[in-house]
Amino acid sequence: MAENDDILIADQSLTLRQIIDSSPALLHTARPDGYLDFFNQTWLDFAGEPLEKLLGWGWISCIHPEDVEAFVQKMRESFAKGKPFQETSRVRRADGVYRWMLHLKVPIFDRGGNLIKWNGSSIDIDDQKRAEETLRKNEGELRILIDIIPAYVGTALPDGSVDFISQSWLDYSGQTREEAMGWGWAVTIHLDDVDESLAKVRAGMTSGEPVNQEMRCRRADGAYHWFLNRSLPLRDDEGKIVKWYGILFDINSLKETESALQIQEHELLGIIETIPSMFWSTSPTGEITHLNQKVLDYCGVSLEEYHDRGWLSFLHPDDREISAKAFARAIENGEPYDIMYRVRRTDGDYRWQHTRAEALRDSRGKIIQWYGLSIDIDEGKRAEDRLRDTRIKLAKTSRLATVAELAGSIAHELNQPLMSILANAQAANRWLNATPPNVTEMNSSIERVIRDARAADEAMQHIRALFKQQSFHKKDVRIPDILREVVRIVQEDPRKRDVLIECRFEESLPLIFIDRIQIQHVFMNLIVNAIEALEGQQVARLIVLRAATDSNGILIQVIDNGPGVDDPERIFDAFMTTKQKGMGIGLTVSRSIVEAHGGRLWVENNQTGGATFNVALPLSHASPAKI
């Protein structure tokens, strides 16, 4: 009798081992410390590795490198606490492909509450993961969180009657093993699903094809959960089905998520249809995928007619080509689409619209959709055109007024050399008519006439260059040479020699690309203004010329210790002057010259008294030669 019991136990153990090895789930066990000591044949076949290589912690080599650290850490925490473990990771299949797995580990305790074993299973959920990614793409970056509850394993005879079912299913359904055997498990199927579900199972049993279906099954507390039922046939060497192996995946969370997404999609469509603008979307290649109702109402056509005619047909003929090219360029390069064009409204009027579109990309940067918004800006565009016309007219009027004022100023600037020419010419005439003629004095007067005529000509040449916004003979020059030459010229005037002028130049200043004469004119004006500002001051009169490089170029400063300026900004206005005999055109012209060289001219009052005129000029376009 004992021998028969041993045989029975051996048979049962063999059958159980066959069931475990034939299970579509990857099953394993571990010691209390987490050392994995058993893998079923499904695990070994999936990994393509011998048992010896996976035992202990060798199985880690099958986990994707990016998942190992977090996965092992969570598993160790579970083992340390003696709590059930559930986690996902990618596992390398025998052919080298990684597939997503749901790993479940359950602690086993003896009657004394001591942890004696860990039972685990790994379930291939790669298809669900891919479905999740597809759903995210379709909903435009909406993320789906799927929490899969442990799977339930069972086997059935060739006719479909269940002959084994896992304890986890019994715990879920509240059935006893005897109640669940055969077709007893089917009583848990929702009444709305039972007929179709059982029909699919029987059809699969008849055809021998795998069964994949969704159905709702009742939990022990009466609640129904959605499940994905997957059943696969086991065949013998002759191809005859000898067993069916099935797994139930709890997809209730996924179903709830799908329902929530449907609600969100409905709400999103509601928002799109109610925004006060024309919204549209296209495929990555530019085919229209959605138009909100406002687009159709604006154009006065149906969706079918809009598709048939194409969006370009609603644009003004003069705008079609440039709009089409801009859109094609955006599609090709992935750049934002931003354009204004005229669209024919349902009443036949063409109105201006501003259209912008951006590309939606996936995690790899690939464009998956284009979304665009078109806004009617006709009123603003027409107002802008009217304003531009008004500005043009005002600018023309202003230029005429400025020309009149500048004409007076130019006449003033030329008056002095012309009066000097007249005086010297009259003197030459007197020396010529003297008895006897004084040829020496006559020659001196003629030389002064020539000098003053050249000065007048040079003034006119620089005024002409200023109006053309160009300079004569630009070349690379050294700014210290210009400043020293200006100081020499200024100090030739005896009235200006008693003002001390110090030059403080940074070493190795780079070259600058300028018109030497024009820039000399600027610093001549600034230095003379500083000297005149010091007249009557009860201090030792001092002017400092400082030149140094900054982040943008060269900064030259003319610093005096005079009274400062009352209004540092208005002093550059045309005809603004503090001199009784001046026209106020000098600083205005100086600023224009500096700006024509791409620089800036501004003034600041010093805290200790006096003013600093700053001239910032860009560096030479050539190589940064030093001095």
Side-chain angles (χ1 to χ4, degrees):
M1 185 68 178
E3 182 178 353
N4 292 335
D5 291 342
D6 291 340
I7 293 174
L8 179 61
I9 293 173
D11 290 341
Q12 292 177 342
S13 298
L14 179 60
T15 301
L16 181 59
R17 180 58 183 265
Q18 289 177 337
I19 292 172
I20 293 174
D21 281 339
S22 301
S23 170
L26 281 62
L27 306 177
H28 57 272
T29 63
R31 299 172 185 171
D33 62 355
Y35 182 97
L36 271 67
D37 56 2
F38 169 77
F39 293 85
N40 72 342
Q41 190 61 41
T42 308
W43 232 117
L44 302 179
D45 293 342
F46 181 88
E49 301 285 359
L51 177 63
E52 295 75 15
K53 188 172 181 179
L54 299 180
L55 290 175
W57 294 92
W59 56 272
I60 292 179
S61 64
C62 297
I63 305 298
H64 195 285
E66 295 178 1
D67 302 340
V68 168
E69 183 177 355
F71 182 78
V72 172
Q73 180 181 352
K74 291 181 180 180
M75 193 174 76
R76 291 186 185 278
E77 292 174 357
S78 177
F79 285 163
K81 297 177 182 179
K83 299 293 185 181
F85 173 76
Q86 175 178 316
E87 189 57 49
T88 59
S89 75
R90 288 165 285 184
V91 181
R92 187 181 66 247
R93 200 166 57 186
D95 58 3
V97 175
Y98 283 94
R99 292 185 66 83
W100 281 99
M101 292 282 183
L102 173 64
H103 304 280
L104 309 170
K105 291 178 177 57
V106 180
I108 307 300
F109 301 92
D110 61 15
R111 293 181 179 180
N114 299 312
L115 177 63
I116 60 174
K117 202 72 173 177
W118 287 89
N119 289 340
S121 65
S122 299
I123 303 168
D124 189 322
I125 60 168
D126 198 70
D127 292 339
Q128 284 73 25
K129 280 285 186 178
R130 295 183 186 278
E132 177 185 350
E133 181 179 355
T134 300
L135 188 57
R136 278 201 305 267
K137 290 180 180 178
N138 291 340
E139 298 303 327
E141 295 185 326
L142 290 177
R143 304 180 62 184
I144 303 174
L145 303 175
I146 303 176
D147 181 20
I148 302 178
I149 300 175
Y152 308 102
V153 180
T155 64
L157 299 174
D159 63 359
S161 59
V162 171
D163 60 351
F164 170 81
I165 202 161
S166 65
Q167 183 63 42
S168 58
W169 170 259
L170 301 178
D171 294 339
Y172 173 84
S173 65
Q175 290 182 304
T176 65
R177 189 169 299 278
E178 291 74 18
E179 291 173 338
M181 290 300 100
W183 293 89
W185 63 275
V187 300
T188 65
I189 301 176
H190 195 284
L191 290 177
D192 293 342
D193 303 337
V194 64
D195 291 340
E196 182 180 356
S197 298
L198 293 181
K200 288 183 178 180
V201 171
R202 291 191 174 95
M205 302 300 151
T206 302
S207 65
E209 296 294 328
V211 176
N212 289 278
Q213 64 172 331
E214 295 179 2
M215 59 186 179
R216 287 166 288 181
C217 294
R218 185 181 65 246
R219 198 166 59 185
D221 60 2
Y224 282 92
H225 271 211
W226 278 98
F227 284 87
L228 173 63
N229 175 27
R230 302 185 64 183
S231 298
L232 300 173
L234 175 66
R235 301 176 185 271
D236 59 17
D237 294 339
E238 298 177 356
K240 183 180 179 181
I241 296 176
V242 296
K243 207 79 165 177
W244 283 89
Y245 294 93
I247 300 179
L248 284 174
F249 296 100
D250 189 324
I251 60 170
N252 203 62
S253 297
L254 178 59
K255 281 290 186 179
E256 291 177 353
T257 303
E258 288 178 349
S259 177
L261 285 175
Q262 290 174 355
I263 295 174
Q264 290 178 7
E265 181 181 8
H266 179 74
E267 293 176 348
L268 179 59
L269 288 174
I271 293 173
I272 291 174
E273 291 299 332
T274 54
I275 58 175
S277 298
M278 286 160 278
F279 176 86
W280 49 269
S281 64
T282 74
S283 68
T285 55
E287 291 82 13
I288 293 176
T289 56
H290 181 79
L291 296 169
N292 71 349
Q293 189 59 41
K294 285 185 172 55
V295 176
L296 303 177
D297 293 342
Y298 191 92
C299 297
V301 295
S302 65
L303 180 61
E304 293 75 14
E305 184 178 355
Y306 194 96
H307 278 290
D308 292 341
R309 294 172 58 180
W311 65 280
L312 284 174
S313 67
F314 295 95
L315 269 57
H316 192 284
D318 295 343
D319 301 337
R320 291 173 186 171
E321 182 177 358
I322 189 172
S323 301
K325 289 182 178 179
F327 188 64
R329 187 165 54 251
I331 293 295
E332 180 180 357
N333 301 330
E335 299 173 350
Y337 179 62
D338 191 334
I339 195 170
M340 289 185 290
Y341 47 60
R342 288 160 289 181
V343 179
R344 187 174 66 251
R345 200 169 53 180
T346 183
D347 59 5
D349 287 343
Y350 282 97
R351 295 179 62 84
W352 283 100
Q353 287 188 8
H354 186 186
T355 296
R356 299 190 63 182
E358 295 277 351
L360 175 66
R361 303 174 185 267
D362 61 16
S363 58
R364 296 183 297 274
K366 181 180 178 182
I367 295 176
I368 57 177
Q369 192 85 328
W370 282 88
Y371 291 104
L373 203 64
S374 300
I375 302 173
D376 188 314
I377 59 167
D378 194 75
E379 297 299 332
K381 189 71 168 59
R382 296 182 188 278
E384 180 182 333
D385 292 341
R386 290 192 295 269
L387 180 61
R388 183 171 57 252
D389 291 341
T390 301
R391 285 175 175 172
I392 292 174
K393 293 177 181 178
L394 289 175
K396 183 177 181 180
T397 303
S398 176
R399 284 196 300 270
L400 292 175
T402 302
V403 167
E405 293 178 343
L406 284 176
S409 174
I410 293 171
H412 173 79
E413 292 291 327
L414 295 178
N415 183 63
Q416 181 174 351
L418 291 177
M419 290 299 297
S420 179
I421 290 172
L422 177 62
N424 284 298
Q426 291 173 341
N429 184 57
R430 287 197 302 273
W431 295 121
L432 179 63
N433 294 324
T435 304
N438 192 332
V439 176
T440 301
E441 290 297 336
M442 181 187 69
N443 287 337
S444 298
S445 297
I446 292 174
E447 288 176 357
R448 286 192 292 273
V449 168
I450 295 173
R451 181 200 62 189
D452 293 337
R454 286 175 176 170
D457 178 67
E458 183 175 314
M460 285 303 301
Q461 293 292 340
H462 286 293
I463 291 172
R464 183 182 296 111
L466 180 63
F467 287 142
K468 290 183 178 179
Q469 295 186 343
Q470 62 185 21
S471 57
F472 296 122
H473 310 300
K474 272 190 176 183
K475 61 182 179 179
D476 291 327
V477 298
R478 295 174 175 85
I479 198 66
D481 295 346
I482 291 179
L483 296 176
R484 291 189 181 102
E485 183 176 350
V486 169
V487 171
R488 180 185 59 78
I489 294 173
V490 169
Q491 291 184 334
E492 285 183 353
D493 187 342
R495 295 171 300 175
K496 297 180 174 60
R497 291 176 184 170
D498 58 346
V499 177
L500 178 61
I501 302 178
E502 292 185 2
C503 295
R504 302 174 185 176
F505 303 146
E506 181 183 280
E507 294 183 1
S508 301
L509 287 171
L511 299 176
I512 56 176
F513 188 63
I514 60 172
D515 182 302
R516 183 187 188 96
I517 300 300
Q518 286 192 358
I519 296 301
Q520 278 185 337
H521 177 77
V522 170
F523 287 107
M524 182 83 70
N525 187 28
L526 295 180
I527 292 173
V528 170
N529 283 349
I531 292 174
E532 292 176 353
L534 290 169
E535 293 180 358
Q537 298 297 307
Q538 303 301 316
V539 295
R541 295 184 291 175
L542 173 64
I543 295 175
V544 176
L545 301 182
R546 182 179 295 159
T549 56
D550 62 11
S551 59
N552 298 316
I554 294 182
L555 177 66
I556 306 104
Q557 296 176 307
V558 179
I559 308 170
D560 65 61
N561 60 346
V565 297
D566 294 334
D567 193 332
E569 193 56 41
R570 288 196 61 223
I571 197 171
F572 292 100
D573 292 347
F575 311 109
M576 172 65 186
T577 180
T578 58
K579 303 175 186 177
Q580 292 182 355
K581 298 181 180 180
M583 286 289 291
I585 200 67
L587 286 178
T588 303
V589 173
S590 296
R591 173 177 271 188
S592 298
I593 292 173
V594 172
E595 290 177 349
H597 282 75
R600 291 179 58 220
L601 170 60
W602 73 99
V603 64
E604 300 170 321
N605 283 318
N606 305 326
Q607 292 183 352
T608 56
T612 297
F613 282 82
N614 301 278
V615 177
L617 293 171
L619 296 179
S620 169
H621 68 290
S623 58
K626 305 289 184 179
I627 61 172

